[in-house]
Amino acid sequence: MGENAISGNLKNLTIDTRDSETLVVCFGEMLIDFVPTVGGVSLAEAPAFKKAPGGAPANVAVGVSRLGGSSAFIGKVGDDEFGRMLADILRLNNVDNSGMRFDHKARTALAFVTLRADGEREFLFFRHPSADMLLLESELDKNLIQKAKIFHYGSISLIEEPCRSTQLAAMKIAKASGSLLSYDPNLRLPLWPSEEAARKEIMSIWNLADVIKISEDEITFLTGGDDPYDDDVVLQKLFHPNLKLLVVSEGPNGCRYYTQEFKGRVDGVKVKAVDTTGAGDAFMSGILNSLASDLTLLKDEKKLREALLFANACGAITVTERGAIPAMPTMNAVQDLLSSSSSPRS
C-alpha cells in the first residue's frame, strides 16, 4: 500500500483483532526506506528516490495480517510526519499498533537502499539516534506482549541502549507468558560498530529462541566463514538444545529446515523477480502465520514441509513487485500461485 492511499481521517477505522489466540507480536524497528526511482544505480547516481515503509519486524506484522492472521507491532517512531504515516499504514493493514510509541525528541529512522548494477545492495542509514533506538522498558505494552502466541524480533534493536535492554525485557515477558520466541537476525552490518560486535550480540540471545530463520550469508558470518551448505556446520554451531525449528532461507532455491527430530529442504516456487526487498520477511510471515494456527507442525514433518512451501510462495510473490509492505501477499494469492505451480509438495 503506497503512502498515497493513506487517509487523513482514521477516526472511523475499526481494527479487526481477529483471533487473539493466534496473535503474532513483532518487536523492533519501523522506518522509511528511500529507494531510487531507477534500478541498477548507486545511491550517489540515483536521480530521485521514492519513500516506502520498511523495517523487518513491521513487514512481518503486515505480512501475517495480509494472510488473514492476527498481528501487532511494538516499536518507537518519531513524533513526526513519517512516524504518523507509519502508524497509519499499520492500522490500514489491520495490524494492532497500540504498542507503538512516539518520541518528541528523535526522528523516525530513514534508510536509503539501492541494488547496484553489480548486484550488491547499498545502504545508507540516518539513525543518530533515531526514535526506534530509544524505546524504554517502561514504555512496553506488557499486556500486549503477554497475549502473544508468537513473539518475533530481530537483532537491530540490540545495537544500542536503551532499546537493547528493552528488547531483552520484552523477550523475558513473552517467554514467561508461554509465547513461542521467533528470531530473524536480519544482519545489517553497516549499522554495527564492528563485525565482532555484531557477531557477539546476535549470538548473545541465540539460545533463547524457539524458532530461528537465517540466510546463507548469515551462516557464513556467524560461524566465521564456514560452509553455509554443510549440515554439520549448521547443526553443530547454530542448532541449540532448546531450538524447535531452524530454517535456512535460500531465496529462489527454497529453504532448509532442522528440528530436534528431522531435517530436509523444500524447493522454491519459480517466479520472475523484480525486487527482492521484503522476500525474507514475507517468508517469515508465512511460516509464523502457519505456526500461530498450528504448533503441532513442529513435530509433523509433512505438515512442516507444507507450511514451508507456503512460506516459500509468500516470498516468491513478494519479489514480483517493488517494495516490501506493498508486495506482501494475501492468502488467495499464495494459494493461487501454489495451485498453478509445478513445485513438488512433498
Side-chain angles (χ1 to χ4, degrees):
M1 179 176 300
E3 59 277 2
N4 291 338
I6 302 301
S7 165
N9 183 3
L10 292 165
K11 291 179 181 177
N12 297 322
L13 182 66
T14 301
I15 297 294
D16 173 12
T17 55
R18 294 178 183 166
D19 186 358
S20 60
E21 296 297 311
T22 61
L23 180 65
V24 177
V25 176
C26 300
F27 174 97
E29 71 282 359
M30 190 175 191
L31 54 125
I32 304 288
D33 284 333
F34 284 86
V35 185
T37 52
V38 295
V41 297
S42 70
L43 291 176
E45 295 167 335
F49 295 88
K50 180 181 179 181
K51 68 179 184 292
N59 292 343
V60 173
V62 171
V64 169
S65 180
R66 285 269 177 90
L67 293 170
S70 174
S71 67
F73 174 75
I74 292 177
K76 201 173 198 181
V77 293
D79 187 15
D80 51 38
E81 287 296 316
F82 285 152
R84 287 187 286 273
M85 180 190 110
L86 292 175
D88 289 349
I89 285 171
L90 290 180
R91 292 179 67 177
L92 288 171
N93 280 282
N94 206 27
V95 176
D96 181 344
N97 68 2
S98 62
M100 286 185 81
R101 300 294 178 259
F102 298 83
D103 197 295
H104 300 287
K105 296 180 180 178
R107 297 296 190 193
T108 300
L110 308 179
F112 289 80
V113 188
T114 191
L115 187 66
R116 300 192 311 234
D118 60 7
E120 288 297 311
R121 289 179 83 182
E122 188 178 349
F123 294 92
L124 182 60
F125 295 95
F126 285 74
R127 304 171 84 235
H128 307 293
S130 54
D132 61 291
M133 302 162 68
L134 302 176
L135 183 66
L136 301 170
E137 182 179 348
S138 61
E139 295 175 307
L140 287 174
D141 186 334
K142 294 180 181 178
N143 290 331
L144 183 58
I145 297 171
Q146 288 168 343
K147 293 175 186 173
K149 180 79 168 281
I150 298 174
F151 185 73
H152 176 69
Y153 49 88
S155 70
I156 288 175
S157 296
L158 299 174
I159 298 173
E160 295 274 358
E161 292 290 0
C163 60
R164 180 183 180 276
S165 293
T166 304
Q167 174 166 335
L168 296 177
M171 290 167 58
K172 189 174 182 179
I173 293 166
K175 192 74 170 180
S177 304
S179 303
L180 194 78
L181 297 192
S182 165
Y183 185 24
D184 178 359
N186 194 36
L187 177 66
R188 292 288 179 264
L189 267 180
L191 291 175
W192 291 89
S194 68
E195 289 193 8
E196 182 183 351
R199 196 175 289 112
K200 177 173 179 283
E201 284 299 324
I202 287 171
M203 296 306 296
S204 72
I205 61 170
W206 197 261
N207 290 351
L208 300 174
D210 299 298
V211 175
I212 296 175
K213 181 193 82 73
I214 45 173
S215 67
E216 301 145 294
D217 291 344
E218 287 165 347
I219 294 175
T220 302
F221 175 76
L222 293 173
T223 60
D226 287 353
D227 181 0
Y229 303 102
D230 187 336
D231 282 351
D232 289 337
V233 167
V234 175
L235 289 169
Q236 291 172 19
K237 294 197 172 185
L238 297 175
F239 199 94
H240 65 78
N242 300 318
L243 196 56
K244 294 179 174 65
L245 175 65
L246 176 65
V247 180
V248 180
S249 57
E250 299 181 350
N253 296 321
C255 64
R256 280 175 283 153
Y257 59 89
Y258 304 83
T259 74
Q260 301 281 358
E261 298 165 19
F262 42 76
K263 61 183 173 68
R265 69 180 316 281
V266 178
D267 287 339
V269 181
K270 303 302 181 225
V271 293
K272 184 176 181 181
V274 174
D275 177 14
T276 60
T277 304
D281 300 329
F283 174 92
M284 200 75 223
S285 66
I287 190 63
L288 292 185
N289 188 60
S290 296
L291 274 172
S293 300
D294 184 8
L295 288 178
T296 67
L297 61 83
L298 291 169
K299 298 286 187 180
D300 184 326
E301 188 169 13
K302 184 175 185 294
K303 283 162 66 172
L304 177 61
R305 291 179 62 85
E306 289 172 354
L308 289 171
L309 179 61
F310 178 87
N312 285 343
C314 290
I317 289 174
T318 303
V319 305
T320 63
E321 293 184 43
R322 294 196 182 278
I325 285 178
M328 290 287 158
T330 62
M331 180 66 77
N332 286 342
V334 180
Q335 291 172 340
D336 287 348
L337 176 62
L338 287 173
S339 65
S340 65
S341 171
S342 59
S343 295
R345 298 200 180 202
S346 61

